[in-house]
Amino acid sequence: MFKGCETASEVRAKISDEFRIDSLADLYDVLNDGIWRAETCAPRMRDEWSEENKTWGQCSITAFLVQDIFGGEVYGILRPGNNYHCYNVIDGNIYDLTIEQFGAEATTLIYDKTNPQIREIHFAKQEKHERYLLLKELLKAVRG
């Protein structure tokens, strides 16, 4: 499961009409049921993506999609290589739908809300913006 899953069914969509998503838990289930795929994984990480680790390389595009649907803020945890692992804060609660990609290392992540992430900076990378748009289109195809 993911960080914050205990309360995720209580987090209601702000724009449920577009995707017909009721809760954050519902979104996770839909993403995990075939929307996360190699094509939505970060290209530099694609060789390691697998059906067993669907969240691998999906963090930023997922976090900004969560923000679109549920509101809140996107924050990042600085990782080796000066990359950020993105997660969401909604109504003061931390949600990380892609934490599973870290396996046992997940317990060492520090969610200190000190690194706000800005979609314009992330999406300045064309490939990332295209993956985000693909993720949205796949979700619309299933739930739109």
Side-chain angles (χ1 to χ4, degrees), residues 7-42:
T7 60
S9 61
E10 300 164 17
V11 179
R12 297 291 173 204
K14 306 278 189 227
I15 58 161
S16 59
D17 292 348
E18 186 176 0
F19 300 106
R20 294 184 310 163
I21 296 291
D22 295 324
S23 70
L24 190 56
D26 184 28
L27 176 62
Y28 174 82
D29 290 342
V30 172
L31 292 172
N32 198 41
D33 195 27
I35 291 179
W36 280 320
R37 53 186 67 177
E39 295 85 9
T40 58
C41 176

PDB file of all heavy atoms in Angstrom, residues 7-42:
ATOM      1  N   THR A   7      -6.142   6.878   5.731  1.00  0.00           N
ATOM      2  CA  THR A   7      -7.177   7.923   5.650  1.00  0.00           C
ATOM      3  C   THR A   7      -7.531   8.296   4.207  1.00  0.00           C
ATOM      4  O   THR A   7      -8.345   9.186   3.979  1.00  0.00           O
ATOM      5  CB  THR A   7      -6.729   9.195   6.391  1.00  0.00           C
ATOM      6  OG1 THR A   7      -5.521   9.681   5.800  1.00  0.00           O
ATOM      7  CG2 THR A   7      -6.521   8.922   7.877  1.00  0.00           C
ATOM      8  N   ALA A   8      -6.937   7.616   3.243  1.00  0.00           N
ATOM      9  CA  ALA A   8      -7.111   7.991   1.831  1.00  0.00           C
ATOM     10  C   ALA A   8      -8.546   7.847   1.332  1.00  0.00           C
ATOM     11  O   ALA A   8      -8.974   8.576   0.441  1.00  0.00           O
ATOM     12  CB  ALA A   8      -6.171   7.183   0.947  1.00  0.00           C
ATOM     13  N   SER A   9      -9.308   6.955   1.909  1.00  0.00           N
ATOM     14  CA  SER A   9     -10.701   6.810   1.468  1.00  0.00           C
ATOM     15  C   SER A   9     -11.560   7.988   1.915  1.00  0.00           C
ATOM     16  O   SER A   9     -12.643   8.214   1.380  1.00  0.00           O
ATOM     17  CB  SER A   9     -11.299   5.495   1.968  1.00  0.00           C
ATOM     18  OG  SER A   9     -11.300   5.464   3.372  1.00  0.00           O
ATOM     19  N   GLU A  10     -11.055   8.774   2.861  1.00  0.00           N
ATOM     20  CA  GLU A  10     -11.770   9.962   3.336  1.00  0.00           C
ATOM     21  C   GLU A  10     -11.448  11.202   2.504  1.00  0.00           C
ATOM     22  O   GLU A  10     -12.153  12.203   2.601  1.00  0.00           O
ATOM     23  CB  GLU A  10     -11.412  10.228   4.799  1.00  0.00           C
ATOM     24  CG  GLU A  10     -11.772   9.079   5.724  1.00  0.00           C
ATOM     25  CD  GLU A  10     -11.088   9.182   7.076  1.00  0.00           C
ATOM     26  OE1 GLU A  10     -10.600  10.274   7.432  1.00  0.00           O
ATOM     27  OE2 GLU A  10     -11.039   8.156   7.776  1.00  0.00           O
ATOM     28  N   VAL A  11     -10.386  11.146   1.705  1.00  0.00           N
ATOM     29  CA  VAL A  11      -9.982  12.289   0.882  1.00  0.00           C
ATOM     30  C   VAL A  11     -10.819  12.263  -0.387  1.00  0.00           C
ATOM     31  O   VAL A  11     -10.696  11.363  -1.212  1.00  0.00           O
ATOM     32  CB  VAL A  11      -8.470  12.240   0.552  1.00  0.00           C
ATOM     33  CG1 VAL A  11      -8.081  13.423  -0.318  1.00  0.00           C
ATOM     34  CG2 VAL A  11      -7.649  12.204   1.827  1.00  0.00           C
ATOM     35  N   ARG A  12     -11.680  13.239  -0.528  1.00  0.00           N
ATOM     36  CA  ARG A  12     -12.630  13.301  -1.633  1.00  0.00           C
ATOM     37  C   ARG A  12     -12.126  14.178  -2.770  1.00  0.00           C
ATOM     38  O   ARG A  12     -11.499  15.209  -2.550  1.00  0.00           O
ATOM     39  CB  ARG A  12     -13.980  13.833  -1.156  1.00  0.00           C
ATOM     40  CG  ARG A  12     -14.624  12.945  -0.134  1.00  0.00           C
ATOM     41  CD  ARG A  12     -15.048  11.663  -0.780  1.00  0.00           C
ATOM     42  NE  ARG A  12     -15.520  10.707   0.206  1.00  0.00           N
ATOM     43  CZ  ARG A  12     -15.514   9.420   0.012  1.00  0.00           C
ATOM     44  NH1 ARG A  12     -15.066   8.912  -1.108  1.00  0.00           N
ATOM     45  NH2 ARG A  12     -15.959   8.615   0.933  1.00  0.00           N
ATOM     46  N   ALA A  13     -12.450  13.762  -3.980  1.00  0.00           N
ATOM     47  CA  ALA A  13     -12.046  14.497  -5.177  1.00  0.00           C
ATOM     48  C   ALA A  13     -12.719  15.860  -5.220  1.00  0.00           C
ATOM     49  O   ALA A  13     -13.895  15.997  -4.883  1.00  0.00           O
ATOM     50  CB  ALA A  13     -12.405  13.684  -6.417  1.00  0.00           C
ATOM     51  N   LYS A  14     -11.960  16.847  -5.665  1.00  0.00           N
ATOM     52  CA  LYS A  14     -12.488  18.205  -5.855  1.00  0.00           C
ATOM     53  C   LYS A  14     -13.124  18.338  -7.236  1.00  0.00           C
ATOM     54  O   LYS A  14     -14.002  19.152  -7.434  1.00  0.00           O
ATOM     55  CB  LYS A  14     -11.375  19.244  -5.707  1.00  0.00           C
ATOM     56  CG  LYS A  14     -10.589  19.145  -4.424  1.00  0.00           C
ATOM     57  CD  LYS A  14     -11.283  19.818  -3.290  1.00  0.00           C
ATOM     58  CE  LYS A  14     -10.347  19.880  -2.095  1.00  0.00           C
ATOM     59  NZ  LYS A  14     -10.927  19.470  -0.874  1.00  0.00           N
ATOM     60  N   ILE A  15     -12.631  17.541  -8.196  1.00  0.00           N
ATOM     61  CA  ILE A  15     -13.141  17.609  -9.571  1.00  0.00           C
ATOM     62  C   ILE A  15     -13.550  16.213 -10.045  1.00  0.00           C
ATOM     63  O   ILE A  15     -13.086  15.725 -11.053  1.00  0.00           O
ATOM     64  CB  ILE A  15     -12.112  18.220 -10.539  1.00  0.00           C
ATOM     65  CG1 ILE A  15     -10.805  17.410 -10.526  1.00  0.00           C
ATOM     66  CG2 ILE A  15     -11.844  19.669 -10.250  1.00  0.00           C
ATOM     67  CD1 ILE A  15      -9.942  17.649 -11.734  1.00  0.00           C
ATOM     68  N   SER A  16     -14.450  15.598  -9.352  1.00  0.00           N
ATOM     69  CA  SER A  16     -14.811  14.206  -9.647  1.00  0.00           C
ATOM     70  C   SER A  16     -15.466  14.022 -11.011  1.00  0.00           C
ATOM     71  O   SER A  16     -15.458  12.929 -11.561  1.00  0.00           O
ATOM     72  CB  SER A  16     -15.726  13.669  -8.548  1.00  0.00           C
ATOM     73  OG  SER A  16     -16.898  14.449  -8.459  1.00  0.00           O
ATOM     74  N   ASP A  17     -16.039  15.060 -11.580  1.00  0.00           N
ATOM     75  CA  ASP A  17     -16.723  14.929 -12.864  1.00  0.00           C
ATOM     76  C   ASP A  17     -15.796  14.482 -13.986  1.00  0.00           C
ATOM     77  O   ASP A  17     -16.175  13.668 -14.819  1.00  0.00           O
ATOM     78  CB  ASP A  17     -17.380  16.252 -13.268  1.00  0.00           C
ATOM     79  CG  ASP A  17     -18.542  16.613 -12.362  1.00  0.00           C
ATOM     80  OD1 ASP A  17     -18.976  15.750 -11.583  1.00  0.00           O
ATOM     81  OD2 ASP A  17     -19.002  17.761 -12.425  1.00  0.00           O
ATOM     82  N   GLU A  18     -14.587  15.033 -14.024  1.00  0.00           N
ATOM     83  CA  GLU A  18     -13.676  14.744 -15.124  1.00  0.00           C
ATOM     84  C   GLU A  18     -13.210  13.289 -15.141  1.00  0.00           C
ATOM     85  O   GLU A  18     -13.082  12.683 -16.194  1.00  0.00           O
ATOM     86  CB  GLU A  18     -12.470  15.681 -15.069  1.00  0.00           C
ATOM     87  CG  GLU A  18     -11.550  15.543 -16.245  1.00  0.00           C
ATOM     88  CD  GLU A  18     -10.413  16.548 -16.229  1.00  0.00           C
ATOM     89  OE1 GLU A  18     -10.322  17.364 -15.292  1.00  0.00           O
ATOM     90  OE2 GLU A  18      -9.601  16.507 -17.157  1.00  0.00           O
ATOM     91  N   PHE A  19     -12.971  12.721 -13.974  1.00  0.00           N
ATOM     92  CA  PHE A  19     -12.403  11.372 -13.911  1.00  0.00           C
ATOM     93  C   PHE A  19     -13.296  10.344 -13.218  1.00  0.00           C
ATOM     94  O   PHE A  19     -12.959   9.178 -13.186  1.00  0.00           O
ATOM     95  CB  PHE A  19     -11.051  11.400 -13.188  1.00  0.00           C
ATOM     96  CG  PHE A  19     -10.028  12.263 -13.851  1.00  0.00           C
ATOM     97  CD1 PHE A  19      -9.673  13.474 -13.312  1.00  0.00           C
ATOM     98  CD2 PHE A  19      -9.422  11.854 -15.027  1.00  0.00           C
ATOM     99  CE1 PHE A  19      -8.714  14.267 -13.918  1.00  0.00           C
ATOM    100  CE2 PHE A  19      -8.464  12.634 -15.638  1.00  0.00           C
ATOM    101  CZ  PHE A  19      -8.113  13.854 -15.082  1.00  0.00           C
ATOM    102  N   ARG A  20     -14.363  10.772 -12.616  1.00  0.00           N
ATOM    103  CA  ARG A  20     -15.239   9.883 -11.833  1.00  0.00           C
ATOM    104  C   ARG A  20     -14.440   9.107 -10.783  1.00  0.00           C
ATOM    105  O   ARG A  20     -14.537   7.894 -10.678  1.00  0.00           O
ATOM    106  CB  ARG A  20     -16.025   8.946 -12.741  1.00  0.00           C
ATOM    107  CG  ARG A  20     -17.014   9.688 -13.609  1.00  0.00           C
ATOM    108  CD  ARG A  20     -17.860   8.766 -14.422  1.00  0.00           C
ATOM    109  NE  ARG A  20     -17.016   7.802 -15.126  1.00  0.00           N
ATOM    110  CZ  ARG A  20     -17.461   6.680 -15.650  1.00  0.00           C
ATOM    111  NH1 ARG A  20     -18.704   6.379 -15.593  1.00  0.00           N
ATOM    112  NH2 ARG A  20     -16.636   5.855 -16.276  1.00  0.00           N
ATOM    113  N   ILE A  21     -13.642   9.839 -10.038  1.00  0.00           N
ATOM    114  CA  ILE A  21     -12.851   9.286  -8.936  1.00  0.00           C
ATOM    115  C   ILE A  21     -13.470   9.794  -7.644  1.00  0.00           C
ATOM    116  O   ILE A  21     -13.679  10.997  -7.485  1.00  0.00           O
ATOM    117  CB  ILE A  21     -11.377   9.751  -9.026  1.00  0.00           C
ATOM    118  CG1 ILE A  21     -10.714   9.217 -10.287  1.00  0.00           C
ATOM    119  CG2 ILE A  21     -10.602   9.374  -7.776  1.00  0.00           C
ATOM    120  CD1 ILE A  21     -10.488   7.720 -10.324  1.00  0.00           C
ATOM    121  N   ASP A  22     -13.768   8.904  -6.729  1.00  0.00           N
ATOM    122  CA  ASP A  22     -14.413   9.297  -5.478  1.00  0.00           C
ATOM    123  C   ASP A  22     -13.421   9.697  -4.396  1.00  0.00           C
ATOM    124  O   ASP A  22     -13.620  10.671  -3.695  1.00  0.00           O
ATOM    125  CB  ASP A  22     -15.288   8.157  -4.954  1.00  0.00           C
ATOM    126  CG  ASP A  22     -16.449   7.877  -5.886  1.00  0.00           C
ATOM    127  OD1 ASP A  22     -16.999   8.830  -6.466  1.00  0.00           O
ATOM    128  OD2 ASP A  22     -16.795   6.695  -6.039  1.00  0.00           O
ATOM    129  N   SER A  23     -12.365   8.910  -4.258  1.00  0.00           N
ATOM    130  CA  SER A  23     -11.431   9.141  -3.160  1.00  0.00           C
ATOM    131  C   SER A  23     -10.004   8.902  -3.632  1.00  0.00           C
ATOM    132  O   SER A  23      -9.770   8.332  -4.701  1.00  0.00           O
ATOM    133  CB  SER A  23     -11.747   8.211  -1.990  1.00  0.00           C
ATOM    134  OG  SER A  23     -11.420   6.875  -2.330  1.00  0.00           O
ATOM    135  N   LEU A  24      -9.062   9.307  -2.792  1.00  0.00           N
ATOM    136  CA  LEU A  24      -7.656   9.075  -3.091  1.00  0.00           C
ATOM    137  C   LEU A  24      -7.357   7.569  -3.137  1.00  0.00           C
ATOM    138  O   LEU A  24      -6.585   7.116  -3.980  1.00  0.00           O
ATOM    139  CB  LEU A  24      -6.781   9.771  -2.050  1.00  0.00           C
ATOM    140  CG  LEU A  24      -5.294   9.842  -2.311  1.00  0.00           C
ATOM    141  CD1 LEU A  24      -4.981  10.505  -3.649  1.00  0.00           C
ATOM    142  CD2 LEU A  24      -4.592  10.590  -1.188  1.00  0.00           C
ATOM    143  N   ALA A  25      -8.004   6.810  -2.285  1.00  0.00           N
ATOM    144  CA  ALA A  25      -7.839   5.350  -2.315  1.00  0.00           C
ATOM    145  C   ALA A  25      -8.342   4.784  -3.643  1.00  0.00           C
ATOM    146  O   ALA A  25      -7.721   3.885  -4.220  1.00  0.00           O
ATOM    147  CB  ALA A  25      -8.579   4.710  -1.146  1.00  0.00           C
ATOM    148  N   ASP A  26      -9.440   5.321  -4.130  1.00  0.00           N
ATOM    149  CA  ASP A  26      -9.994   4.910  -5.423  1.00  0.00           C
ATOM    150  C   ASP A  26      -8.999   5.204  -6.548  1.00  0.00           C
ATOM    151  O   ASP A  26      -8.754   4.358  -7.407  1.00  0.00           O
ATOM    152  CB  ASP A  26     -11.318   5.653  -5.647  1.00  0.00           C
ATOM    153  CG  ASP A  26     -12.046   5.250  -6.913  1.00  0.00           C
ATOM    154  OD1 ASP A  26     -11.897   4.106  -7.374  1.00  0.00           O
ATOM    155  OD2 ASP A  26     -12.804   6.104  -7.430  1.00  0.00           O
ATOM    156  N   LEU A  27      -8.396   6.390  -6.525  1.00  0.00           N
ATOM    157  CA  LEU A  27      -7.408   6.740  -7.550  1.00  0.00           C
ATOM    158  C   LEU A  27      -6.234   5.770  -7.521  1.00  0.00           C
ATOM    159  O   LEU A  27      -5.800   5.287  -8.573  1.00  0.00           O
ATOM    160  CB  LEU A  27      -6.906   8.173  -7.368  1.00  0.00           C
ATOM    161  CG  LEU A  27      -5.796   8.588  -8.346  1.00  0.00           C
ATOM    162  CD1 LEU A  27      -6.277   8.551  -9.795  1.00  0.00           C
ATOM    163  CD2 LEU A  27      -5.245   9.960  -7.983  1.00  0.00           C
ATOM    164  N   TYR A  28      -5.721   5.480  -6.342  1.00  0.00           N
ATOM    165  CA  TYR A  28      -4.603   4.540  -6.232  1.00  0.00           C
ATOM    166  C   TYR A  28      -4.959   3.198  -6.862  1.00  0.00           C
ATOM    167  O   TYR A  28      -4.181   2.632  -7.632  1.00  0.00           O
ATOM    168  CB  TYR A  28      -4.194   4.351  -4.769  1.00  0.00           C
ATOM    169  CG  TYR A  28      -3.142   3.290  -4.605  1.00  0.00           C
ATOM    170  CD1 TYR A  28      -1.799   3.581  -4.819  1.00  0.00           C
ATOM    171  CD2 TYR A  28      -3.495   1.981  -4.275  1.00  0.00           C
ATOM    172  CE1 TYR A  28      -0.826   2.595  -4.697  1.00  0.00           C
ATOM    173  CE2 TYR A  28      -2.533   0.990  -4.158  1.00  0.00           C
ATOM    174  CZ  TYR A  28      -1.207   1.304  -4.366  1.00  0.00           C
ATOM    175  OH  TYR A  28      -0.249   0.325  -4.264  1.00  0.00           O
ATOM    176  N   ASP A  29      -6.135   2.690  -6.549  1.00  0.00           N
ATOM    177  CA  ASP A  29      -6.557   1.393  -7.087  1.00  0.00           C
ATOM    178  C   ASP A  29      -6.608   1.413  -8.609  1.00  0.00           C
ATOM    179  O   ASP A  29      -6.152   0.477  -9.270  1.00  0.00           O
ATOM    180  CB  ASP A  29      -7.918   0.986  -6.526  1.00  0.00           C
ATOM    181  CG  ASP A  29      -7.860   0.624  -5.059  1.00  0.00           C
ATOM    182  OD1 ASP A  29      -6.751   0.352  -4.536  1.00  0.00           O
ATOM    183  OD2 ASP A  29      -8.937   0.620  -4.415  1.00  0.00           O
ATOM    184  N   VAL A  30      -7.137   2.485  -9.174  1.00  0.00           N
ATOM    185  CA  VAL A  30      -7.251   2.593 -10.631  1.00  0.00           C
ATOM    186  C   VAL A  30      -5.867   2.693 -11.275  1.00  0.00           C
ATOM    187  O   VAL A  30      -5.596   2.028 -12.285  1.00  0.00           O
ATOM    188  CB  VAL A  30      -8.136   3.796 -11.022  1.00  0.00           C
ATOM    189  CG1 VAL A  30      -8.114   4.037 -12.516  1.00  0.00           C
ATOM    190  CG2 VAL A  30      -9.561   3.588 -10.542  1.00  0.00           C
ATOM    191  N   LEU A  31      -4.978   3.513 -10.701  1.00  0.00           N
ATOM    192  CA  LEU A  31      -3.621   3.635 -11.238  1.00  0.00           C
ATOM    193  C   LEU A  31      -2.890   2.297 -11.178  1.00  0.00           C
ATOM    194  O   LEU A  31      -2.214   1.904 -12.131  1.00  0.00           O
ATOM    195  CB  LEU A  31      -2.834   4.698 -10.467  1.00  0.00           C
ATOM    196  CG  LEU A  31      -3.290   6.139 -10.638  1.00  0.00           C
ATOM    197  CD1 LEU A  31      -2.547   7.047  -9.657  1.00  0.00           C
ATOM    198  CD2 LEU A  31      -3.103   6.618 -12.060  1.00  0.00           C
ATOM    199  N   ASN A  32      -3.043   1.604 -10.078  1.00  0.00           N
ATOM    200  CA  ASN A  32      -2.354   0.336  -9.867  1.00  0.00           C
ATOM    201  C   ASN A  32      -2.918  -0.785 -10.742  1.00  0.00           C
ATOM    202  O   ASN A  32      -2.247  -1.775 -10.995  1.00  0.00           O
ATOM    203  CB  ASN A  32      -2.433  -0.049  -8.385  1.00  0.00           C
ATOM    204  CG  ASN A  32      -1.414  -1.069  -8.004  1.00  0.00           C
ATOM    205  OD1 ASN A  32      -0.264  -1.010  -8.427  1.00  0.00           O
ATOM    206  ND2 ASN A  32      -1.828  -2.026  -7.193  1.00  0.00           N
ATOM    207  N   ASP A  33      -4.124  -0.596 -11.214  1.00  0.00           N
ATOM    208  CA  ASP A  33      -4.793  -1.629 -12.001  1.00  0.00           C
ATOM    209  C   ASP A  33      -4.532  -1.464 -13.501  1.00  0.00           C
ATOM    210  O   ASP A  33      -5.413  -1.716 -14.314  1.00  0.00           O
ATOM    211  CB  ASP A  33      -6.299  -1.611 -11.709  1.00  0.00           C
ATOM    212  CG  ASP A  33      -6.996  -2.864 -12.198  1.00  0.00           C
ATOM    213  OD1 ASP A  33      -6.351  -3.919 -12.282  1.00  0.00           O
ATOM    214  OD2 ASP A  33      -8.202  -2.774 -12.515  1.00  0.00           O
ATOM    215  N   GLY A  34      -3.354  -0.991 -13.867  1.00  0.00           N
ATOM    216  CA  GLY A  34      -2.964  -0.972 -15.266  1.00  0.00           C
ATOM    217  C   GLY A  34      -2.673   0.373 -15.889  1.00  0.00           C
ATOM    218  O   GLY A  34      -2.230   0.442 -17.034  1.00  0.00           O
ATOM    219  N   ILE A  35      -2.906   1.463 -15.166  1.00  0.00           N
ATOM    220  CA  ILE A  35      -2.606   2.777 -15.745  1.00  0.00           C
ATOM    221  C   ILE A  35      -1.125   3.100 -15.603  1.00  0.00           C
ATOM    222  O   ILE A  35      -0.502   3.601 -16.532  1.00  0.00           O
ATOM    223  CB  ILE A  35      -3.503   3.861 -15.139  1.00  0.00           C
ATOM    224  CG1 ILE A  35      -4.936   3.617 -15.620  1.00  0.00           C
ATOM    225  CG2 ILE A  35      -3.025   5.253 -15.540  1.00  0.00           C
ATOM    226  CD1 ILE A  35      -5.958   4.576 -15.092  1.00  0.00           C
ATOM    227  N   TRP A  36      -0.544   2.814 -14.434  1.00  0.00           N
ATOM    228  CA  TRP A  36       0.906   2.944 -14.319  1.00  0.00           C
ATOM    229  C   TRP A  36       1.515   1.879 -15.209  1.00  0.00           C
ATOM    230  O   TRP A  36       1.181   0.693 -15.101  1.00  0.00           O
ATOM    231  CB  TRP A  36       1.382   2.722 -12.894  1.00  0.00           C
ATOM    232  CG  TRP A  36       1.230   3.878 -11.975  1.00  0.00           C
ATOM    233  CD1 TRP A  36       1.451   5.194 -12.246  1.00  0.00           C
ATOM    234  CD2 TRP A  36       0.870   3.813 -10.586  1.00  0.00           C
ATOM    235  NE1 TRP A  36       1.247   5.961 -11.122  1.00  0.00           N
ATOM    236  CE2 TRP A  36       0.887   5.135 -10.088  1.00  0.00           C
ATOM    237  CE3 TRP A  36       0.537   2.776  -9.733  1.00  0.00           C
ATOM    238  CZ2 TRP A  36       0.588   5.443  -8.772  1.00  0.00           C
ATOM    239  CZ3 TRP A  36       0.238   3.072  -8.420  1.00  0.00           C
ATOM    240  CH2 TRP A  36       0.264   4.391  -7.942  1.00  0.00           C
ATOM    241  N   ARG A  37       2.394   2.270 -16.079  1.00  0.00           N
ATOM    242  CA  ARG A  37       3.028   1.320 -17.012  1.00  0.00           C
ATOM    243  C   ARG A  37       4.393   1.857 -17.411  1.00  0.00           C
ATOM    244  O   ARG A  37       4.761   2.971 -17.049  1.00  0.00           O
ATOM    245  CB  ARG A  37       2.135   1.109 -18.226  1.00  0.00           C
ATOM    246  CG  ARG A  37       1.733   2.407 -18.902  1.00  0.00           C
ATOM    247  CD  ARG A  37       0.738   2.234 -20.018  1.00  0.00           C
ATOM    248  NE  ARG A  37      -0.553   1.789 -19.485  1.00  0.00           N
ATOM    249  CZ  ARG A  37      -1.613   1.607 -20.216  1.00  0.00           C
ATOM    250  NH1 ARG A  37      -1.573   1.799 -21.506  1.00  0.00           N
ATOM    251  NH2 ARG A  37      -2.744   1.211 -19.678  1.00  0.00           N
ATOM    252  N   ALA A  38       5.121   1.083 -18.174  1.00  0.00           N
ATOM    253  CA  ALA A  38       6.471   1.478 -18.590  1.00  0.00           C
ATOM    254  C   ALA A  38       6.454   2.818 -19.318  1.00  0.00           C
ATOM    255  O   ALA A  38       7.353   3.641 -19.130  1.00  0.00           O
ATOM    256  CB  ALA A  38       7.091   0.397 -19.461  1.00  0.00           C
ATOM    257  N   GLU A  39       5.442   3.069 -20.124  1.00  0.00           N
ATOM    258  CA  GLU A  39       5.383   4.322 -20.894  1.00  0.00           C
ATOM    259  C   GLU A  39       5.198   5.554 -20.017  1.00  0.00           C
ATOM    260  O   GLU A  39       5.539   6.656 -20.413  1.00  0.00           O
ATOM    261  CB  GLU A  39       4.233   4.277 -21.922  1.00  0.00           C
ATOM    262  CG  GLU A  39       4.416   3.249 -22.996  1.00  0.00           C
ATOM    263  CD  GLU A  39       3.934   1.855 -22.575  1.00  0.00           C
ATOM    264  OE1 GLU A  39       3.306   1.713 -21.506  1.00  0.00           O
ATOM    265  OE2 GLU A  39       4.216   0.914 -23.318  1.00  0.00           O
ATOM    266  N   THR A  40       4.646   5.372 -18.803  1.00  0.00           N
ATOM    267  CA  THR A  40       4.486   6.508 -17.900  1.00  0.00           C
ATOM    268  C   THR A  40       5.655   6.628 -16.922  1.00  0.00           C
ATOM    269  O   THR A  40       5.735   7.605 -16.180  1.00  0.00           O
ATOM    270  CB  THR A  40       3.144   6.426 -17.131  1.00  0.00           C
ATOM    271  OG1 THR A  40       3.083   5.210 -16.406  1.00  0.00           O
ATOM    272  CG2 THR A  40       1.965   6.542 -18.090  1.00  0.00           C
ATOM    273  N   CYS A  41       6.550   5.681 -16.924  1.00  0.00           N
ATOM    274  CA  CYS A  41       7.739   5.688 -16.071  1.00  0.00           C
ATOM    275  C   CYS A  41       8.781   6.657 -16.646  1.00  0.00           C
ATOM    276  O   CYS A  41       8.891   6.810 -17.859  1.00  0.00           O
ATOM    277  CB  CYS A  41       8.317   4.276 -16.010  1.00  0.00           C
ATOM    278  SG  CYS A  41       9.854   4.123 -15.090  1.00  0.00           S
ATOM    279  N   ALA A  42       9.541   7.284 -15.765  1.00  0.00           N
ATOM    280  CA  ALA A  42      10.627   8.166 -16.204  1.00  0.00           C
ATOM    281  C   ALA A  42      11.569   7.390 -17.120  1.00  0.00           C
ATOM    282  O   ALA A  42      11.985   6.278 -16.773  1.00  0.00           O
ATOM    283  CB  ALA A  42      11.390   8.700 -14.998  1.00  0.00           C
TER     284      ALA A  42
END
